[in-house]
Amino acid sequence: MDHDLKSDMPPDSGHIRNEFVAVERYLCREKLHLDNMLSHAVLIVESGMGMLTINSRKYPVSAGRCYYALPSMPVTLEPYFNEVSVIAVHLERLADRERIADSIRYTREYGGFAEWGELEAPTADRLLQLAKEMVQACKKSGQLASAYRDKIFHEWMYELAQANTGQEGKENGNEAMIRRIMRFVDLHYHEELNRNSLAQMAGFSPEYFSVLFKQISGKSLTDYITALRIQHMKERLLFDDIRLSDVAKEVGYKDEYYVSRRFKLEVGMSPTRYVQSSKRIVSLNPHLTMHLLALGIVPAATTAFPWGFGEYEALLHNAGCLCREWTTDFTLQELSALRPDLIIGIDNLEQSRLQDCRRLAPTFVVPWYLTDWRGHFHMLAKITRRTTQEREWTEQFERQLASVRQSLQTSGQLEQTAAIVNIREKTAFLYLNRGMGSQVVYSELNWSPPSSVRKSVVDRAASAIDLAAVLPHFKADRMIVITEPTPLAESRTEAMLAGEHWESYRQQGGQIHRAAMSRWHGYDPLSIMWQLADVKQWIR
């Protein structure tokens, strides 16, 4: 690839320019091969967890992490037992080959702006947002859209280059240098690392480097590397079906028997026993806690809905579960004090937060929008080794669902429309997807939303509405009204239902169902079962 370009630049050497080639979003449900990439590629994980292999080297993936492959390097992505969404940005790197008069001839540069493999991404959320904007920009045509895409691309490349090349712009000082070395070790823990080479990289004597590293990291270099390797092994053994010998090689150990002994020394049990043992779990999301409860597991700590966990509240309390209101997250110090064996959350965790959690314990991130509640349930059953309980619960649910559907069929109520209205203190919403019973109403029972609801919500979960517009604009055979359990929200609901449109609706035979938000808010097995039970009562 050669380019002749006019230039007013002075004849310096080593000028490199990056050119945008393409951006693609991949949703990987099974093994994905990207083996014929002729350009440089940077992949950033949007959601999900799994294993990425670049040029035979394996890297664990999670949201916000970033990876770089040189042209023609084979790349393979394997999800754990969930789906992984990645955005791949393809680019050309062009170097000046010769300068003649006012022209520069460029040729393809196969070297990278950083080492291939995992990249540092200290601004992971920002990088991911820019990558998403590139995807959207490429869907538009025209000169302005193309210029906007290039602007985003170069801003994105600047962020990556700043984090991954040279010393420029880096903080000075011993602590800043040691933290740079720590980040380097975080990315290269699976390689052969030694004190002398890292000390030379930092510009310190080996002895002084050792003292500084322990002061700042809290561990000796050897213990720091060992902790990273054991952390990776724990996640791989829990989240994927893999042999100990294979995961040992991934983390840089050659002797499987040494690894088993080292694992037992660090963890207190053999790898096999560790996988099968009960885990002390901290849940960072109340929906996921409801999944655990359906599997017969009470977490050590959880964030909680303002209205609690219904009939399971006493069970959590008696088991000593620490419940934290969901708008106030656990601090890192609080998480550490809880001594978790496993942390679970959804993919709204910031990258820095996720990395902090992973240092404490294996952390499983459920990709919230890549699959439905059944998929979430299956993932958690797999990592907690409760697939038997999952199967039994699912069979029970399917029997209940079949019974309700049969009742609807017999009574001629199967082909009906329904609208779900959620009323809160200052707002109100129409629900169509994921939450407030929409899964049961529209997906399990196949009631239909009015066309006006579809137009209003489209592909979102819900749409904000004015209560005065609910009727007649969103009229359905059944109006399901779910009220936030506060006096103000209850007052707003009563005022709406007392209106003339609602009185007319009742006189015409319309069905109004009042539902408890504590039972209808959740998107999890227990809430789904509660919602189905309420519908069963309504249709009698």
Side-chain angles (χ1 to χ4, degrees):
M1 175 183 291
D2 291 344
H3 294 256
D4 283 315
L5 298 173
K6 300 290 185 181
S7 175
D8 295 325
M9 293 172 53
D12 60 345
S13 59
H15 177 59
I16 301 288
R17 53 176 289 160
N18 298 307
E19 279 195 356
F20 175 86
V21 174
V23 61
E24 298 176 271
R25 177 185 269 123
Y26 297 98
L27 178 58
C28 178
R29 293 188 173 91
E30 297 179 355
K31 196 169 186 177
L32 175 67
H33 296 276
L34 304 172
D35 295 344
N36 298 309
M37 296 187 297
L38 300 179
S39 58
H40 298 253
V42 178
L43 296 90
I44 186 163
V45 184
E46 193 172 13
S47 60
M49 300 182 75
M51 183 59 59
L52 182 74
T53 304
I54 302 176
N55 206 29
S56 300
R57 184 183 294 169
K58 295 182 180 294
Y59 301 90
V61 303
S62 57
R65 298 181 82 159
C66 207
Y67 308 86
Y68 179 35
L70 299 176
S72 301
M73 277 189 174
V75 177
T76 303
L77 177 62
E78 294 180 81
Y80 291 149
F81 31 82
N82 60 18
E83 294 140 326
V84 178
S85 175
V86 298
I87 296 175
V89 179
H90 301 272
L91 61 135
E92 286 286 6
R93 286 176 55 76
L94 305 177
D96 54 333
R97 189 176 69 188
E98 59 180 320
R99 296 167 183 257
I100 304 172
D102 60 350
S103 296
I104 304 175
R105 184 176 292 272
Y106 285 90
T107 189
R108 172 180 284 176
E109 171 62 47
Y110 284 92
F113 66 91
E115 291 185 22
W116 64 271
E118 185 168 1
L119 298 177
E120 286 191 32
T123 56
D125 296 325
R126 173 66 177 156
L127 289 173
L128 185 54
Q129 181 58 40
L130 289 172
K132 292 178 180 178
E133 289 181 23
M134 268 188 273
V135 171
Q136 292 302 316
C138 286
K139 294 179 180 179
K140 300 177 181 179
S141 58
Q143 204 168 23
L144 189 60
S146 178
Y148 178 62
R149 179 208 65 202
D150 287 343
K151 171 183 176 293
I152 300 169
F153 168 71
H154 287 295
E155 185 178 348
W156 192 74
M157 283 301 302
Y158 174 77
E159 296 275 358
L160 280 175
Q162 187 180 44
N164 289 277
T165 58
Q167 303 272 346
E168 296 180 15
K170 299 290 185 181
E171 290 183 65
N172 295 318
N174 291 349
E175 181 173 350
M177 180 56 71
I178 292 297
R179 293 202 180 280
R180 282 193 62 227
I181 297 299
M182 289 168 62
R183 289 197 296 271
F184 179 85
V185 174
D186 289 348
L187 298 180
H188 298 273
Y189 65 88
H190 51 280
E191 301 173 8
E192 290 188 14
L193 300 174
N194 63 73
R195 183 186 68 165
N196 290 348
S197 62
L198 293 174
Q200 185 177 16
M201 186 186 302
F204 302 132
S205 70
E207 294 75 16
Y208 187 50
F209 171 80
S210 293
V211 172
L212 277 179
F213 192 92
K214 187 167 186 178
Q215 282 179 352
I216 294 168
S217 73
K219 295 184 177 75
S220 69
L221 176 63
T222 300
D223 288 345
Y224 189 85
I225 294 172
T226 299
L228 287 171
R229 290 177 171 179
I230 294 297
Q231 167 207 326
H232 176 75
M233 291 180 66
K234 284 180 174 180
E235 288 194 349
R236 288 288 274 142
L237 292 169
L238 280 182
F239 302 161
D240 202 6
D241 296 324
I242 187 171
R243 295 182 302 179
L244 180 62
S245 58
D246 291 333
V247 76
K249 292 176 183 176
E250 286 181 13
V251 301
Y253 292 124
K254 297 177 181 178
D255 187 338
E256 178 182 348
Y257 300 102
Y258 169 78
V259 170
S260 185
R261 292 195 303 272
R262 186 76 195 194
F263 189 97
K264 187 172 183 178
L265 179 65
E266 297 293 330
V267 181
M269 63 185 78
S270 69
T272 301
R273 187 180 166 200
Y274 168 76
V275 170
Q276 298 300 330
S277 65
S278 297
K279 304 293 185 296
R280 182 175 171 84
I281 301 175
V282 172
S283 171
L284 303 180
N285 182 278
H287 295 280
L288 300 185
T289 299
M290 298 290 274
H291 283 274
L292 294 178
L293 292 172
L295 292 169
I297 299 171
V298 179
T302 179
T303 54
F305 299 121
W307 42 86
F309 291 96
E311 62 194 63
Y312 290 87
E313 193 79 24
L315 174 64
L316 290 165
H317 177 76
N318 293 336
C321 176
L322 174 62
C323 293
R324 170 69 53 79
E325 210 276 327
W326 67 347
T327 58
T328 308
D329 212 344
F330 294 103
T331 66
L332 186 60
Q333 292 74 19
E334 288 171 332
L335 283 176
S336 179
L338 287 166
R339 297 176 293 103
D341 300 312
L342 174 64
I343 300 172
I344 60 172
I346 64 173
D347 50 6
N348 62 353
L349 286 176
E350 293 183 354
Q351 176 67 3
S352 58
R353 171 74 165 168
L354 176 58
Q355 293 306 320
D356 286 340
C357 288
R358 294 182 75 184
R359 289 186 183 280
L360 293 176
T363 302
F364 188 77
V365 177
V366 174
W368 190 251
Y369 289 102
L370 294 187
T371 186
D372 63 6
W373 67 275
R374 283 185 172 87
H376 302 161
F377 195 35
H378 182 63
M379 293 175 202
L380 293 174
K382 287 275 285 186
I383 64 170
T384 57
R385 274 49 182 182
R386 296 292 181 105
T387 52
T388 298
Q389 289 85 345
E390 176 205 8
R391 185 183 66 253
E392 291 173 350
W393 190 95
T394 303
E395 289 173 352
Q396 178 188 6
F397 173 75
E398 294 297 343
R399 288 194 296 270
Q400 294 286 345
L401 178 61
S403 173
V404 174
R405 287 183 61 83
Q406 181 60 47
S407 297
L408 290 172
Q409 182 71 48
T410 302
S411 61
Q413 302 178 75
L414 197 58
E415 302 295 331
Q416 289 192 326
T417 59
I420 301 172
V421 182
N422 175 225
I423 302 174
R424 307 196 185 188
E425 287 193 346
K426 297 181 180 180
T427 55
F429 300 93
L430 281 172
Y431 267 83
L432 185 60
N433 302 296
R434 293 178 181 267
M436 293 300 167
S438 56
Q439 177 73 26
V440 165
V441 171
Y442 299 131
S443 298
E444 309 294 351
L445 298 177
N446 292 324
W447 281 342
S448 300
S451 59
S452 55
V453 171
R454 289 193 185 279
K455 290 178 182 177
S456 176
V457 182
V458 195
D459 58 351
R460 293 166 293 171
S463 174
I465 55 168
D466 181 353
L467 287 183
V470 175
L471 288 182
H473 190 60
F474 301 107
K475 182 179 177 181
D477 296 323
R478 295 178 182 273
M479 303 297 295
I480 301 170
V481 180
I482 306 162
T483 306
E484 184 180 7
T486 67
L488 181 55
E490 290 286 352
S491 176
R492 296 184 72 213
T493 301
E494 295 302 329
M496 180 191 75
L497 295 178
E500 60 177 338
H501 288 301
W502 290 85
E503 180 59 32
S504 175
Y505 175 77
R506 278 188 287 266
Q507 291 176 359
Q508 295 171 19
Q511 298 289 313
I512 302 172
H513 304 295
R514 299 291 301 274
M517 193 160 165
S518 59
R519 292 169 67 85
W520 278 68
H521 175 269
Y523 187 65
D524 57 78
L526 297 181
S527 296
I528 296 289
M529 188 71 90
W530 287 339
Q531 293 152 21
L532 189 64
D534 285 349
V535 172
K536 190 173 183 179
Q537 291 292 324
W538 297 342
I539 63 175
R540 283 185 173 176

